[in-house]
Amino acid sequence: MDKNTIIGFILIAAIVFGFAALNKPSEAEIAKRKKYNDSIALVQQQQAVIQQQADATKLNSANPDSTALNDSAAVALKSDAFGAFKTAAFGEEKFFTVENELIRLKFSNKGGRIYSAELKNYRTHDSLPLILFDKDESALGFTLTTTNNRVVNTADLYFEPVGEVTKDPKGNQTFVFRLKTDQSGSYLDFIYTIPANDYMVKYDIKATNMNEIIPPSMNLLEMNWSAKIRQQEKGRQFEERYSALHFKYLTDDVNKLSESKNDQEDPANKVKWIAFKDQFFSTILIADESFVSTSLTSEMMPEKSGYLKSFSSKMAVGFDPAGNQPTGFRFFFGPNRYKILSGYDKGVPGDEKLYLRDLIPLGWTIFGWVNRFMIIPMFNLFSTFIGSFGLIILLMTVVIKIVLFPMTYKSYVSSAKMRVLKPEIDEINARIPADKAMERQKATMELYNKVGVSPMSGCLPMLLQMPILFAMFSFFPSAIELRQQSFLWAQDLSAYDSILSWNAYIPLVTPYFGNHISLFCLLMTISSIISTKLTMSQTPTASDQPGAGMMKWMMYLMPLMFMFMFNNYASGLSYYYFLSTLITIGQTYIIRATVDDKKLLAQLHAKGSKAKPKNKSGFMERLEKMQREQQKALKNRK
């Protein structure tokens, strides 16, 4: 072997040993891998237990004498898998019911969880008890890791009730579940406090001497919370649109997952609360401190399943195994009523406010302000002395139309001014050829400027009314006060008022319009067409303008488009728009009777003759500049 060959072998050996040294795992990585392997082994052990129990069941049917042997082997394996919690690994599921004036909660000793939640003052659309969740529709469990690397979940363990339900002088009830261990004096308590007359339930987890069973370094509890959202209302399509998983960042706004598709999000920052919300009711889990490492998922459910969506959340919360500080939560089981949700922020410092009221979709920015500071206070005021919500909507509509009447009057007068000037506009159009469009516009604007008329003055009042129209569009579908409130033929003002329905699926009709016809929606459409015709008759239009005919048909087509849109919406909303349109038609006839077109034209010309020459407006200057540039461009082409 020559010298070069020896050097080559030495270099290869150095590279191999160096590569191995560089890739040697650290102590932390070794510990992590060991924990992972232990977890895998635990899962395999638990699977073996399940398999042995299944095998034992088969064997017992053929050989009864082998029952004790197989049971003892399964118990031994399961006891070893649950470590210090082996005494809680066996038991029989039992239920305990605690209720106040508003909610009825059923607890299960398996997992120490709330098994069922019922709202006593509400019913489903078919008059059944309104239950937010029951049995396996909801799950809540915490992952515990022991000092000997056993990983268990509280959902699989059996708790013991500590005494009876206790009640304080204020009527608040306290119920305690205890998770015992094989070490005397070490246990975990789940403490539930149900108030006398509230939807908010206090929920605390308190450890006692658990630092010998759970490593002191384990200062976070991993938890999983999931639920299927039941269909509670008559219209699934509409209810589904308003059901979503919401969450609030600790120091930021409320966000939500998509309502219309499967969605998943891992919030990067701390989360204060998570809400499983349907159209009118919510189950909300609120951390006293915050959730970290949160992962949220929303999945659509099949229509025939009876559920709208399936929500799940994985997160971690602070935990003290020594028991010096409990881990605290609050559960809200209740209606999405603005007054109730906003009430939890009364007297609370700004940085501690929950903003649960943001679960109610009142509209963006200015539309939400209109609802919060005008519509909701007015609605609540009328509700205190009027029992019929149909009459309340009528009264609200009248008040809103009275408030907006000055704008309506100004808009009509502006349209009347344009109408009486139409003969002179037609004369300008006849005198100036159509190919000189800029010259036509200039002459027309000079006429408007002379008599003091602005073409935009009629649009501004209408634009100022838009925030109220859009605010009402958000308010009615989310107002739980209208739920199951009847008026005239409408059995539920929060749902559609069907007067004709069918079961057959009709392409392009069933997906968008539905399999029914809502009467209030139909009346709204008819009144809108009448109002459009009335508006078109008093608004001057030039039939020779390009697209004038198409624009006219579009004006009549819009009410029909709205009919497709509102047919599945709350009948209270269609009823409001119907009343609003009727009042607008009445106001139009009243104003028309008080405005004399001949007198108005004379006033305009009298004002024009007395008016002093005005400086050109910025609009006119820009218009003339555009005309000069256009004329210059035409000359250059020639």
Side-chain angles (χ1 to χ4, degrees):
M1 186 179 295
D2 59 8
K3 182 179 179 182
N4 292 336
T5 303
I6 295 173
I7 294 173
F9 277 119
I10 293 173
L11 290 175
I12 292 172
I15 291 172
V16 170
F17 286 112
F19 183 80
L22 289 174
N23 286 274
K24 182 180 179 181
S26 63
E27 293 183 3
E29 290 174 331
I30 294 173
K32 185 177 180 180
R33 172 56 61 178
K34 184 177 183 301
K35 184 176 180 181
Y36 174 79
N37 291 333
D38 290 341
S39 300
I40 294 296
L42 177 63
V43 172
Q44 291 173 343
Q45 273 187 329
Q46 292 174 341
Q47 289 176 341
V49 170
I50 295 172
Q51 184 61 44
Q52 285 198 11
Q53 288 175 337
D55 294 340
T57 302
K58 293 179 181 179
L59 183 61
N60 291 341
S61 61
N63 184 11
D65 296 334
S66 66
T67 301
L69 178 63
N70 286 299
D71 284 351
S72 61
V75 167
L77 283 173
K78 190 172 182 180
S79 298
D80 182 67
F82 283 88
F85 295 98
K86 59 179 177 289
T87 56
F90 305 91
E92 179 183 352
E93 188 170 19
K94 298 179 181 179
F95 302 101
F96 308 85
T97 300
V98 182
E99 59 185 291
N100 61 16
E101 297 179 9
L102 302 174
I103 57 177
R104 180 179 292 112
L105 302 178
K106 181 187 286 188
F107 295 85
S108 170
N109 67 325
K110 186 176 183 181
R113 68 184 181 95
I114 299 176
Y115 184 83
S116 173
E118 177 185 346
L119 304 186
K120 298 168 65 174
N121 295 334
Y122 294 91
R123 292 289 183 270
T124 64
H125 70 94
D126 46 1
S127 301
L128 297 175
L130 198 146
I131 298 174
L132 296 178
F133 57 86
D134 190 23
K135 301 179 181 178
D136 295 330
E137 294 171 348
S138 179
L140 176 63
F142 298 86
T143 301
L144 304 173
T145 303
T146 65
T147 52
N148 59 346
N149 293 322
R150 295 296 186 266
V151 180
V152 299
N153 194 295
T154 59
D156 301 322
L157 302 174
Y158 291 89
F159 290 63
E160 295 181 5
V162 180
E164 300 292 332
V165 177
T166 60
K167 183 181 290 188
D168 65 15
K170 295 182 179 180
N172 301 322
Q173 302 176 76
T174 300
F175 186 62
V176 181
F177 272 126
R178 179 162 293 173
L179 178 62
K180 292 185 177 180
T181 68
D182 60 357
Q183 295 188 22
S184 178
S186 298
Y187 52 85
L188 193 67
D189 283 344
F190 284 8
I191 306 168
Y192 296 93
T193 303
I194 298 91
N197 188 25
D198 200 350
Y199 295 100
M200 191 74 78
V201 175
K202 191 71 178 72
Y203 173 38
D204 292 310
I205 299 177
K206 190 177 188 305
T208 300
N209 297 326
M210 293 291 290
N211 48 328
E212 295 182 1
I213 296 174
I214 298 175
S217 59
M218 183 182 169
N219 57 3
L220 288 176
L221 273 180
E222 294 181 5
M223 58 184 297
N224 293 275
W225 179 42
S226 62
K228 295 177 181 178
I229 306 303
R230 289 186 171 196
Q231 181 181 345
Q232 312 280 9
E233 313 304 325
K234 181 170 70 172
R236 177 187 175 90
Q237 180 183 359
F238 198 69
E239 185 182 9
E240 191 175 65
R241 188 181 305 169
Y242 283 86
S243 301
L245 190 157
H246 290 65
F247 64 96
K248 183 190 179 300
Y249 287 108
L250 182 63
T251 58
D252 206 344
D253 297 333
V254 175
N255 289 335
K256 63 180 178 180
L257 302 189
S258 173
E259 304 102 324
S260 58
K261 62 180 180 180
N262 295 342
D263 198 7
Q264 194 271 340
E265 186 169 346
D266 299 330
N269 299 323
K270 294 180 178 180
V271 172
K272 180 62 178 177
W273 54 257
I274 301 168
F276 295 169
K277 172 189 175 293
D278 65 21
Q279 184 178 1
F280 292 120
F281 305 97
S282 291
T283 301
I284 311 172
L285 180 59
I286 308 165
D288 284 359
E289 298 298 329
S290 64
F291 298 113
V292 296
S293 303
T294 308
S295 180
L296 307 172
T297 304
S298 171
E299 295 182 0
M300 308 292 289
M301 296 290 285
E303 185 171 347
K304 294 183 179 180
S305 67
Y307 301 102
L308 299 170
K309 291 166 187 175
S310 175
F311 298 142
S312 63
S313 57
K314 297 179 180 179
M315 53 277 196
V317 289
F319 178 64
D320 178 16
N324 298 319
Q325 183 67 35
T327 300
F329 308 90
R330 280 179 288 173
F331 261 122
F332 175 84
F333 307 103
N336 301 327
R337 189 183 291 264
Y338 185 85
K339 185 177 181 180
I340 293 174
L341 296 179
S342 61
Y344 293 111
D345 286 337
K346 288 185 178 179
V348 177
D351 58 342
E352 298 179 13
K353 290 183 182 295
L354 296 175
Y355 294 104
L356 299 179
R357 67 188 187 194
D358 288 350
L359 287 172
I360 303 175
L362 296 178
W364 297 339
T365 56
I366 187 171
F367 310 132
W369 299 338
V370 171
N371 273 321
R372 289 189 181 96
F373 302 117
M374 176 182 170
I375 303 302
I376 291 178
M378 180 168 53
F379 184 86
N380 292 337
L381 174 64
F382 292 151
S383 300
T384 57
F385 58 87
I386 299 177
S388 171
F389 284 90
L391 295 180
I392 291 174
I393 295 174
L394 172 60
L395 190 56
M396 288 178 62
T397 309
V398 171
V399 170
I400 291 172
K401 297 304 289 186
I402 290 174
V403 171
L404 296 177
F405 180 75
M407 298 182 187
T408 304
Y409 181 82
K410 185 175 181 180
S411 178
Y412 179 88
V413 171
S414 177
S415 297
K417 290 178 180 179
M418 300 288 290
R419 185 176 64 251
V420 298
L421 290 173
K422 187 175 184 300
E424 298 179 44
I425 301 298
D426 291 341
E427 189 275 329
I428 291 174
N429 292 337
R431 177 165 47 87
I432 302 174
D435 57 353
K436 296 182 178 180
M438 295 300 295
E439 191 174 339
R440 270 189 179 185
Q441 274 190 316
K442 180 181 177 182
T444 302
M445 294 305 297
E446 286 177 348
L447 174 63
Y448 288 155
N449 194 44
K450 177 182 177 182
V451 298
V453 173
S454 172
M456 299 300 295
S457 60
C459 299
L460 184 59
M462 294 301 297
L463 289 175
L464 294 176
Q465 297 181 49
M466 293 304 291
I468 295 179
L469 293 175
F470 281 105
M472 301 303 274
F473 178 81
S474 299
F475 170 75
F476 282 104
S478 59
I480 192 174
E481 292 84 354
L482 300 179
R483 185 178 183 270
Q484 297 181 354
Q485 296 295 327
S486 61
F487 181 70
L488 299 179
W489 58 82
Q491 298 299 314
D492 186 347
L493 288 172
S494 70
Y496 57 82
D497 54 316
S498 173
I499 59 164
L500 179 64
S501 61
W502 57 90
N503 294 322
Y505 181 88
I506 304 175
L508 300 180
V509 174
T510 300
Y512 303 101
F513 187 77
N515 280 3
H516 65 272
I517 295 177
S518 301
L519 183 53
F520 272 130
C521 181
L522 183 61
L523 293 175
M524 177 197 72
T525 302
I526 294 172
S527 63
S528 297
I529 292 174
I530 295 173
S531 178
T532 300
K533 181 176 178 59
L534 191 61
T535 302
M536 295 290 288
S537 67
Q538 70 181 31
T539 303
T541 57
S543 58
D544 60 340
Q545 287 184 355
M550 180 61 70
M551 181 62 67
K552 180 179 179 180
W553 279 107
M554 282 297 297
M555 293 296 293
Y556 285 109
L557 186 61
M558 284 186 65
L560 295 176
M561 294 172 62
F562 282 131
M563 182 177 178
F564 271 79
M565 179 178 178
F566 285 94
N567 192 56
N568 288 306
Y569 265 65
S571 56
L573 178 62
S574 300
Y575 171 53
Y576 165 75
Y577 282 146
F578 169 59
L579 290 177
S580 180
T581 307
L582 281 184
I583 295 175
T584 299
I585 293 172
Q587 287 178 336
T588 301
Y589 278 110
I590 292 173
I591 297 172
R592 176 181 287 184
T594 60
V595 175
D596 188 327
D597 286 2
K598 293 182 180 179
K599 186 177 179 181
L600 180 62
L601 180 61
Q603 290 175 348
L604 291 175
H605 283 293
K607 182 180 179 180
S609 62
K610 294 179 181 179
K612 296 179 180 179
K614 296 181 180 179
N615 294 328
K616 292 180 181 179
S617 65
F619 177 76
M620 287 298 297
E621 290 180 354
R622 289 192 296 271
L623 185 63
E624 291 183 2
K625 182 180 179 181
M626 289 172 59
Q627 182 183 14
R628 290 193 297 268
E629 290 176 353
Q630 186 180 26
Q631 290 175 348
K632 183 178 179 181
L634 289 172
K635 288 180 179 179
N636 291 337
R637 289 180 184 177
K638 294 179 180 178

